[in-house]
Amino acid sequence: MEQEVSDFVLFLGRFHPLILHLPIGFLVMATILEGVSRLKRFDEYNKAVELVLLLGSLSAVAAALLGYMLAQAGGYGEQLLIIHQWSGVGVAVASAGAYLLKRYNRNRSSALMDRAYLSLLTIMVIALGIAGHYGGSLTHGSDYLTQYMPNGLRTVAGLPPKEEKGFKKITNLEEAAVYNDIIDPIFETRCTSCHNQNKKKGELQMHTRQLLMKGGEGGPIIVEGEADKSEMIKRINLPEAHDDHMPPEGKRPLTSEYKKLLEWWVNSGAPFEKRVSELKRSKEIQSALNTLVDPQANMSPAEKLLASDIDPVESKVQTELQKHGVDLRPVSDRGHWLQADIKKEHSVDSLLVMLKKVSPQLTWLDLGETTTTDKALQPIREFPNLTRLHLQNTRITDKGLSELAGLANLEYLNLYGTAVTDAGIQQLEKLDNLTKLFVWRTQVTQEGAQDLQETLPNLKVYLGAEKKSVALENDSK
Ligand code: HEC
């Protein structure tokens, strides 16, 4: 069945969707004119019918020819295509016939011929409806019209109630069916819109197990047990801008977790009947699997905080703070979390007292390079949502650090170039979420850093270039 089709034919075929609107317009218009002109008041419109029918049938023939060329490109469901094709041909033939009869009837008035003409016109309109409907199904999928139909109407129309496509929430991960609960939903949400019974892009259909394993134009897309050799895995791992990347550029891409899970499934032999507990899982796969149960499973506490929502700050407050040298900006384009930078030349003595107005929203605070002292830092304990704090090159000492002990969400702390010592940073030992601490150019020693890291295993202490970094030593272990 495969035969070479010239590029020029395919090029012309692409004009089908453009041209097809002409016969629809002309032929519907001809029918309306014909109907209306049968009323005495509008009988002069009758003269126009012949011309409009001629234009309609010529453009219908053109649309049918171009449609035939488009079909050579393949990728359309067989059955829908046949119905569409033949109803399209029906439109062309019926409209040409109607035109000829209209011409023939011009000067004669035979009731029989008029009835034949009207019958042909009716057939033409019906064929037009069928061709249009199936054409729409070919391009948009057969559920295009009904996809968003409310459930009430669906019942009336005899359709089953809407099913939630894609992921059902997984509660018991060990018992979950690897294919049905994890792999197939990924295909359903990201692939089958183009690889199904109606649209077979690349001759590939992914909506049933058999067709998935059969593969596409280039043969099987899955080599059981060998993800590296599987066309499907190769394609999802290509750079997004690459022509062969799947899903194609502009479509919602696969998350890195989904990619890993598909790879895992193929490497496990692409089984259809196994449960999660029956397959080997690396740590990385386990953490990808965990996100199916809880989307926030792999987020740090700070990321979870930022993923939650908070009320916005009044713009009045924002402008007022701006006047005092506080640059307030949203942390991201979603949510209302704020970061504050303080202009260096401004006095910071009572600044934190003023900032209390935005303390629930404030999550990043940059006091770096300012004259902040231990005393000015005191109100910091009333900023529970701080995740990042810059205090580099300020005047704070160990005493100031004791104020930070309650900042449970703090993840990043920069103390570069301050007078803090080993004793000072020990006061941070309750900050379970601290992962980055910068103490270059301070009195902190390697031993002091090591001590703190023993209490806080997720912490990296950055001592800088002069002293051997504890962080590096930890990594090489
Ligand atoms: C927007 C439509 C679209 C979506 C969505 C899409 N694809 Fe495709 N796919 C295509 C087109 C078009 C081709 C044929 C052109 C080509 O080979 O790149 C194709 C071809 C393929 C092929 C090669 C088939 C062969 O044998 O030549 C594979 C494998 C594939 N897709 C996998 C996927 C996977 C996996 C997903 C979901 C993650 C996906 N596709 C989602 C449009 C799509």
Side-chain angles (χ1 to χ4, degrees):
M1 198 189 125
E2 287 295 302
Q3 69 212 80
E4 278 302 312
V5 184
S6 93
D7 274 355
F8 191 63
V9 167
L10 296 180
F11 164 74
L12 286 179
R14 294 279 165 106
F15 285 88
H16 173 69
L18 196 78
I19 297 297
L20 67 89
H21 297 280
L22 292 175
I24 295 176
F26 284 133
L27 296 177
V28 168
M29 195 63 212
T31 312
I32 292 172
L33 285 175
E34 183 60 54
V36 165
S37 68
R38 289 185 180 236
L39 300 171
K40 261 247 131 29
R41 267 175 57 203
F42 300 113
D43 63 353
E44 74 259 37
Y45 290 156
N46 202 280
K47 294 192 204 98
V49 175
E50 207 182 290
L51 176 65
V52 181
L53 262 181
L54 176 64
L55 292 172
S57 64
L58 288 178
S59 56
V61 170
L65 285 174
L66 292 172
Y68 183 74
M69 294 177 185
L70 181 62
Q72 304 310 301
Y76 298 100
E78 211 80 338
Q79 269 190 331
L80 291 182
L81 187 62
I82 288 176
I83 302 176
H84 176 69
Q85 219 163 43
W86 286 108
S87 51
V89 170
V91 172
V93 172
S95 59
Y99 164 72
L100 292 175
L101 278 178
K102 183 76 186 166
R103 244 188 102 114
Y104 175 85
N105 287 345
R106 204 193 280 165
N107 304 316
R108 285 156 276 231
S109 57
S110 130
L112 185 70
M113 285 315 244
D114 190 49
R115 212 167 301 148
Y117 164 71
L118 285 182
S119 312
L120 216 44
L121 210 56
T122 311
I123 291 170
M124 177 196 86
V125 171
I126 293 171
L128 195 62
I130 297 174
H133 175 72
Y134 282 91
S137 298
L138 279 174
T139 31
H140 304 299
S142 54
D143 60 350
Y144 186 68
L145 274 179
T146 53
Q147 189 177 12
Y148 298 107
M149 189 184 267
N151 271 339
L153 252 182
R154 291 180 75 92
T155 325
V156 176
L159 293 167
K162 232 183 295 186
E163 256 180 62
E164 206 57 75
K165 258 196 185 180
F167 285 97
K168 285 189 223 80
K169 201 163 162 47
I170 295 176
T171 41
N172 186 345
L173 188 60
E174 294 295 314
E175 282 303 304
V178 175
Y179 185 75
N180 278 351
D181 296 340
I182 300 171
I183 303 303
D184 189 49
I186 299 178
F187 293 156
E188 280 281 330
T189 50
R190 307 297 167 89
C191 314
T192 52
S193 58
C194 296
H195 297 292
N196 60 38
Q197 68 268 42
N198 300 325
K199 257 195 181 179
K200 314 183 232 178
K201 296 294 179 186
E203 290 298 316
L204 173 64
Q205 294 170 284
M206 301 178 69
H207 63 293
T208 72
R209 298 172 179 195
Q210 287 80 3
L211 291 167
L212 174 69
M213 295 316 285
K214 181 169 161 247
E217 249 160 28
I221 60 164
I222 291 169
V223 183
E224 286 131 310
E226 294 184 276
D228 296 345
K229 293 194 182 143
S230 303
E231 181 68 12
M232 176 178 84
I233 304 296
K234 281 189 209 161
R235 285 188 180 234
I236 63 175
N237 285 325
L238 286 171
E240 241 168 74
H242 194 289
D243 266 356
D244 290 341
H245 179 264
M246 284 294 138
E249 212 183 354
K251 295 286 164 186
R252 201 155 140 233
L254 292 171
T255 64
S256 64
E257 280 90 8
Y258 288 176
K259 288 185 198 169
K260 280 185 209 138
L261 291 173
L262 291 177
E263 246 180 273
W264 168 65
W265 176 67
V266 173
N267 274 332
S268 307
F272 286 108
E273 303 299 347
K274 290 269 198 297
R275 306 204 165 271
V276 171
S277 58
E278 295 173 80
L279 298 188
K280 275 212 211 98
R281 289 157 276 172
S282 66
K283 242 182 166 173
E284 195 184 38
I285 292 302
Q286 186 61 47
S287 90
L289 285 167
N290 289 343
T291 60
L292 300 174
V293 183
D294 171 14
Q296 299 197 342
N298 295 334
M299 288 188 184
S300 74
E303 284 169 326
K304 281 186 199 170
L305 185 75
L306 297 190
S308 67
D309 207 6
I310 187 128
D311 291 335
V313 167
E314 279 177 57
S315 58
K316 197 177 68 189
V317 175
Q318 208 149 338
T319 12
E320 194 188 310
L321 285 169
Q322 207 98 39
K323 274 189 231 147
H324 289 91
V326 181
D327 188 10
L328 269 187
R329 275 172 298 149
V331 170
S332 72
D333 54 358
R334 282 184 304 126
H336 300 105
W337 296 99
L338 293 177
Q339 54 179 312
D341 295 327
I342 314 302
K343 297 219 176 79
K344 278 185 207 134
E345 60 276 17
H346 270 264
S347 151
V348 289
D349 285 350
S350 54
L351 196 81
L352 286 185
V353 180
M354 247 175 357
L355 274 174
K356 271 194 216 165
K357 283 182 194 150
V358 296
S359 79
Q361 288 86 1
L362 199 64
T363 184
W364 294 0
L365 177 58
D366 189 353
L367 295 168
E369 328 288 329
T370 64
T371 55
T372 303
T373 58
D374 291 339
K375 188 158 179 301
L377 200 61
Q378 262 174 20
I380 198 87
R381 51 178 77 196
E382 290 169 61
F383 292 78
N385 291 334
L386 280 183
T387 58
R388 258 170 182 265
L389 181 58
H390 290 261
L391 290 169
Q392 69 274 19
N393 289 327
T394 57
R395 298 184 191 165
I396 62 144
T397 69
D398 289 349
K399 192 157 169 281
L401 288 189
S402 67
E403 310 291 348
L404 307 181
L407 297 180
N409 283 306
L410 201 62
E411 212 174 55
Y412 171 108
L413 179 58
N414 194 338
L415 299 172
Y416 165 84
T418 59
V420 300
T421 71
D422 287 347
I425 63 165
Q426 283 309 318
Q427 303 176 84
L428 304 174
E429 66 180 13
K430 295 249 162 59
L431 300 182
D432 292 333
N433 294 319
L434 196 62
T435 53
K436 290 193 169 97
L437 175 62
F438 295 84
V439 286
W440 191 24
R441 299 230 157 107
T442 65
Q443 305 292 312
V444 175
T445 67
Q446 207 180 317
E447 291 72 36
Q450 199 104 49
D451 277 352
L452 186 60
Q453 275 184 329
E454 267 156 33
T455 345
L456 299 173
N458 292 327
L459 177 67
K460 269 193 183 186
V461 180
Y462 296 85
L463 282 163
E466 290 157 9
K467 302 163 199 167
K468 205 170 136 221
S469 170
V470 182
L472 281 177
E473 204 172 69
N474 267 359
D475 278 351
S476 59
K477 263 202 283 215

